[in-house]
Amino acid sequence: EWSTAVETLEYSSETPMGEVTVTTNETYAMSYLMKALMEQHHPVMLIGLAGCGKTQSCLGLLKSLPPDVFTYYAMNMSYYTDSTLLQTMMENPLEKKAGKLYAPPGKLQLIYFVDDLNMPALDKYNTQSAIELMKQKQDYGHWYDRQKILVKDIGNTQYLCCMNPTAGSFIVNQRLQRHFWCCAVPFPEQSALLTIYSTFMKGHFERLPFKGPVQEQVSGIIKAALSLHSMVVSNFRKTASNFHYEFNIRHMSGVFSGLLQAKPGEFAEAEKVVLLWIHESERIYGDRLVSPSDLKKYRALAADLSKKMFGKFNFAKYFQEKNPE
């Protein structure tokens, strides 16, 4: 039972949200298996849609590895990454050992963390030179010095990769992928999101001297934010003309990082904190909408939800249409 092994995290809002990984049952199970494989020097690949937490899970795991055994080097692939650029990046953390051997400093095992693995452009042969270089290193344990045309043996390195199957080239060369243990990463469930954002919000509102009525509203705001996000996702679908209507966990994190800016001196009343959530949500979701009718629809959803969740406050005046005068 994974839930018994998950440790609760004490969060302090002085640390940015992006630098903290909150462990849930799913991420703990995945990290446990990834760690076991990486300790055996087996390459690992996470596959999932944008904003489902692949990169965050990997960085959380890499930071937790023993620093006297493992070190890591993060690289982001893009459309313009080719084999020359990738080789330069991969040689950065290496140093020359005996003869032709290049390896990380000391006896450390280096993990190359490659994000967006399938982003490089396809050439006219439908291949990606950066992927072929990674395949060559994985198959033969070497690549070539491009000036002297001499073999460079690469020691004590391994791969940890992430990719989004709906972007870039969609797939990567099967001859590289066969080396990896592949894991599909779904979007976190509502219960997991509740755990994650409760950790952040309570770490801020309960640690700092906020008044009692303000702290009472925190759990309601978290539930309201999760509900509003689901409503926005289901009501504003991606189309050919609105191809940027893609709302994922990154946007929800934007709302919460705005809420974590609240200071006890400025937010003495509970109503003001709820208003801050309404404001942050409109900045994150409302500002992405392209037409007045979409914005009106969004404001109606937000007004309806805030009336239902926070009935004792009167927020109707904030959602009224402005007079055209």
Side-chain angles (χ1 to χ4, degrees), residues 262-277:
K263 294 183 173 62
E266 293 162 11
F267 290 87
E269 299 98 46
E271 186 177 3
K272 279 183 84 173
V273 178
V274 181
L275 273 176
L276 178 65
W277 164 68

Side-chain angles (χ1 to χ4, degrees), residues 24 26-27 51-53 185-194 196 249 252:
T24 62
E26 294 89 353
T27 57
C52 66
V185 185
F187 277 101
E189 294 174 357
Q190 288 287 336
S191 57
L193 291 173
L194 195 63
I196 292 166
I249 298 170
M252 210 185 329

Side-chain angles (χ1 to χ4, degrees), residues 41-109:
H41 311 317
H42 197 291
V44 176
M45 185 191 295
L46 300 189
I47 302 173
L49 301 176
C52 66
K54 306 183 293 295
T55 307
Q56 201 60 42
S57 298
C58 289
L59 289 173
L61 175 62
L62 290 168
K63 286 172 186 169
S64 71
L65 292 172
D68 54 335
V69 181
F70 288 99
T71 179
Y72 71 93
Y73 187 71
M75 300 179 289
N76 272 63
M77 291 243 197
S78 71
Y79 183 80
Y80 298 103
T81 309
D82 60 1
S83 61
T84 315
L85 177 62
L86 183 68
Q87 186 171 332
T88 310
M89 289 198 291
M90 289 173 85
E91 284 178 355
N92 270 344
L94 303 178
E95 58 180 36
K96 192 173 182 355
K97 304 282 186 184
K100 302 179 292 182
L101 180 65
Y102 290 78
K107 292 187 176 178
L108 290 172
Q109 178 74 16

